[in-house]
């Protein structure tokens, strides 16, 4: 077939598939509208309520037992539409099949027989399903800079969640990781809007497409928006931000996800400029539903309508908060305990004319549409027996590969790494022998505190290092241990630093495994970003031994370690790499794997200097009047055991109109003696603009694999409109002028010849 013939066939294929999608959408809308017409107000309001599993029964050993009267009351009497969460412990997929099965059976006893939508936080795989393969937490996933790995993680997560009968995930987290103090920074894809959007879209494609298939889920992108940058650094507190910054930085990942088809959105649990996001009509309706054209539904975060009243003092009672939230655009309330009050209040509010019936119809239509799109009416249940690849070696390999590509080499003095396989090693530090630390929060339980019990079949760092170097060559003395008391996970205490010092006497290297214990949300709030005093004592004592220190950072937040960086011979950041992370680390230590991770965040050097890489020139190191941007390691940084040379940065033209696309290419050569992967990162800087331009912004990236001596050319296609920024009038504008682009240390300049507003 010639080129014209090929293009003609493509055009026919696309218009046929668009027509098919349109007729499918029409059929769903017709069916849902007919259903909504038949429903009573009580039935509609019930669909808008979501309760937690724990409120409907209790655990009995490893099992969950429903209180049948409570289940019936919620599902049959109050007609609730959704249930979420674990009973406080993970269940096997067969147990989930029974739990969800019993729920759907009860839903069948209602007049409308509408299936219940079950949702779980699959933050890093199906983390509440025993035996499922888990993945590194999102920050580590982003450190791979490899879209394919993230897509695969999405595919596998969806498959395993469906094996457990659960068709809805509260992921991905698209919050921007700009504030290192925030206790959930590790749950997101790093600090850059472009990287975040790219990774989020890959995950959504993997999890959701094609929606309606028995191994796909609906996603809930969260937490819309600017949850991640509270002024206090503490969870669920106020963020101060002008709207043009909100739109410039926090909105794009969500906008990209909605364009990619994300079907549900969870709301920022905190406040923006003093307004609880759950009652912010401008954000939920004007921006999300109208401007972005979002047709799915909006779910609250945990108890957040109640928070408007109790925490934020906006109303005098919950009923007032319910009115404001539903009128602002909330479609479903994660209550999660007292569904009766929500349902009773909302029914009364409609009858009193305080919430229009049209708003209820809109909300319930959105919810039922997603249930239809998931084909829950046809197939409310899926069973593990139909998912033979659940927890398979193939899935485990995908998790291992993701961990291996995430691990980031930050320092390697005199190429001390990789280590000889015959080396004698001391493994020390509180993170050395804990699956809990490798996984972080949202692992088997909310805070991840029981991970060592549930993940004992996988290797801790100590075990993986013993497997690799031989048990006889490995000594273990932790020195410090974490406090596992509920609510004190940030604390650690001295076990025996002297014993660790003694153990170092006859080894060649010290593997110092430091960082953080598992945590999430409010229990993870922290007052001091320095590495803890106890760990610092251990590090200093180890440095004093004079043995080469290989520092392993296993942490959610970038803890400040400036005092020990200089003395460490090598530093590897492993993030929260999950159950195969230690195996990947051991392979990197010996050189069986060449590290290729790159920081998706700026690693701070000082606690009072937490500026991310996206900042203004006044914050930059070149500003004589106070700029002090001097991170420990910059965003995008990561070394390799081989070396790469970048050359021949070219752009197809020097002068563009705003609607054109630039073609930029660069050649990368592996100049070392090992195979390795390198990431080409394309940054742009506008030289002059009406709002002070950011020093630089990521606009593209590609990860490539190169054999020793091999060269490859990477080509980026950059639509010029991607360089537009949001101005003080909240308009997206590409201002005419000069731009610099940079890949590695190569730069070139071009001009945009005419201003355009988008
Ligand atoms: C978290 C959400 C999560 C929800 C349900 C909340 O506390 O903020 O991220 O999806 O709980 O578990």
């Amino acid at each position: 077939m010639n080129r014209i013939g090929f293009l003609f066939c493509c055009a026919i294929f696309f218009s046929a598939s668009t027509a098919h999608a349109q007729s499918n959408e029409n059929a769903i809308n017709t069916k849902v509208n007919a259903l909504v017409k038949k429903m009573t107000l009580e039935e509609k309001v019930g669909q808008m309520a979501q309760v937690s599993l724990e409120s409907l029964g209790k655990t009995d050993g490893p099992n969950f037992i429903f209180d049948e009267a409570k289940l019936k009351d919620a599902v049959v009497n109050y007609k609730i539409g959704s249930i979420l969460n674990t009973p406080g412990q993970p269940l096997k997929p067969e147990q989930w099949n029974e739990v969800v099965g019993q729920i759907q059976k009860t839903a069948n006893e209602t007049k409308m027989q509408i299936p219940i939508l079950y949702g779980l936080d699959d933050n890093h795989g199906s983390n509440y399903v025993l035996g499922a393969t888990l993945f590194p937490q999102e920050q580590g996933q982003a450190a791979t800079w490899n879209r394919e790995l993230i897509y695969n993680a999405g595919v596998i997560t969806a498959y395993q969640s469906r094996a457990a009968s659960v068709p809805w995930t509260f992921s991905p987290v698209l919050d921007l990781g700009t504030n290192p103090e925030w206790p959930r920074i590790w749950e997101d894809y790093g600090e850059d809007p472009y990287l975040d959007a790219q990774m989020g879209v890959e995950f959504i494609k993997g999890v959701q497409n094609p929606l309606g298939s028995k191994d796909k889920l609906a996603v809930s992108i969260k937490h819309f928006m600017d949850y991640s940058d509270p002024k206090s650094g503490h969870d669920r507190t106020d963020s101060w931000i002008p709207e043009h910054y909100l739109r410039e930085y926090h909105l794009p990942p969500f906008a990209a996800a909605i364009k990619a088809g994300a079907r549900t959105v969870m709301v920022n649990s905190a406040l923006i400029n003093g307004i609880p996001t759950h009652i912010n009509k401008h954000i939920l309706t004007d921006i999300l539903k109208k401007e972005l054209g979002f047709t799915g539904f909006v779910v609250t975060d945990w108890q957040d309508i109640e928070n408007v009243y109790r925490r934020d003092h906006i109303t005098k009672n919950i009923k007032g908060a319910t009115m404001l939230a539903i009128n602002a655009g909330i479609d479903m309330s994660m209550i999660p305990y007292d569904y009766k009050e929500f349902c009773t209040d909302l029914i009364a509010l409609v009858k009193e004319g305080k919430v229009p019936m049209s708003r209820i119809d809109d909300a319930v239509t959105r919810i039922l549409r997603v249930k239809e799109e998931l084909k829950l009416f046809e197939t409310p249940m899926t069973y593990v027996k139909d998912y033979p690849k659940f927890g398979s070696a193939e899935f485990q390999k995908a998790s291992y590969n993701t961990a291996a590509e995430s691990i980031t080499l930050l320092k390697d003095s005199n190429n001390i790494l990789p280590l000889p396989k015959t080396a004698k090693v001391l493994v020390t530090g509180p993170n050395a022998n804990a699956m809990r630390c490798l996984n972080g929060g949202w692992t088997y339980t909310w805070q991840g505190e029981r991970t060592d019990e549930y993940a004992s079949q996988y290797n801790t760092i100590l075990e993986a290092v013993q497997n690799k170097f031989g048990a006889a060559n490995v000594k273990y003395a932790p020195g410090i241990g974490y406090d596992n008391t509920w609510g004190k996970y940030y604390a650690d205490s001295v076990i025996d630093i002297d014993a660790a010092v003694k153990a170092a006497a006859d080894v060649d290297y010290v593997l110092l495994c430091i960082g953080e214990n598992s945590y999430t949300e409010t229990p993870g709030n922290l007052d001091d970003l320095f590495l803890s005093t106890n760990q610092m004592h251990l590090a200093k004592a180890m440095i004093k031994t004079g043995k080469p220190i290989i520092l392993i950072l296993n942490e959610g937040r970038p803890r400040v370690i400036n005092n020990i960086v200089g003395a460490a011979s090598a530093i590897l950041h492993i993030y929260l790499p999950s159950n195969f992370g230690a195996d990947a680390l051991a392979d990197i230590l010996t050189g069986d794997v060449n590290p290729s991770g790159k920081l998706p965040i700026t690693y701070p050097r000082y606690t009072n200097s937490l500026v991310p890489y996206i900042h203004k020139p006044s914050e930059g190191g070149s500003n004589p009047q106070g700029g002090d941007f001097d991170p420990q390691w910059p965003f995008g940084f990561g070394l390799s055991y081989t070396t790469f040379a970048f050359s021949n940065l070219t752009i197809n033209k020097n002068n563009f109109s705003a609607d054109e696309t630039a073609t930029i290419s660069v050649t990368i050569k592996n100049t070392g003696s090992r195979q390795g992967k390198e990431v080409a990162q394309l940054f742009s800087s506008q030289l002059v603009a009406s709002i002070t331009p950011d020093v630089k912004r990521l606009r593209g990236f590609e990860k490539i694999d190169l054999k020793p001596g091999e060269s490859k050319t990477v080509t980026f296609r950059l639509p010029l409109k991607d360089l537009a920024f949001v101005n003080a009038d909240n308009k997206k504008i590409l201002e005419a002028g000069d731009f610099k682009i940079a890949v590695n240390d190569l730069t070139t300049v071009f001009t945009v010849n005419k201003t355009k507003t988008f």
Side-chain angles (χ1 to χ4, degrees), residues 389-403:
K389 290 202 282 182
F390 177 88
S392 60
E394 176 193 331
F395 288 2
Q396 299 190 353
K397 182 83 172 104
S399 170
Y400 166 90
N401 287 345
T402 312

Side-chain angles (χ1 to χ4, degrees), residues 299-314:
V299 61
T300 72
D301 200 342
W302 194 264
Q303 243 168 346
D304 272 325
I305 293 189
E306 193 176 325
N307 277 337
V308 170
Y309 151 63
R310 275 194 221 289
R311 183 191 68 192
D312 300 328
H313 300 230
I314 295 274

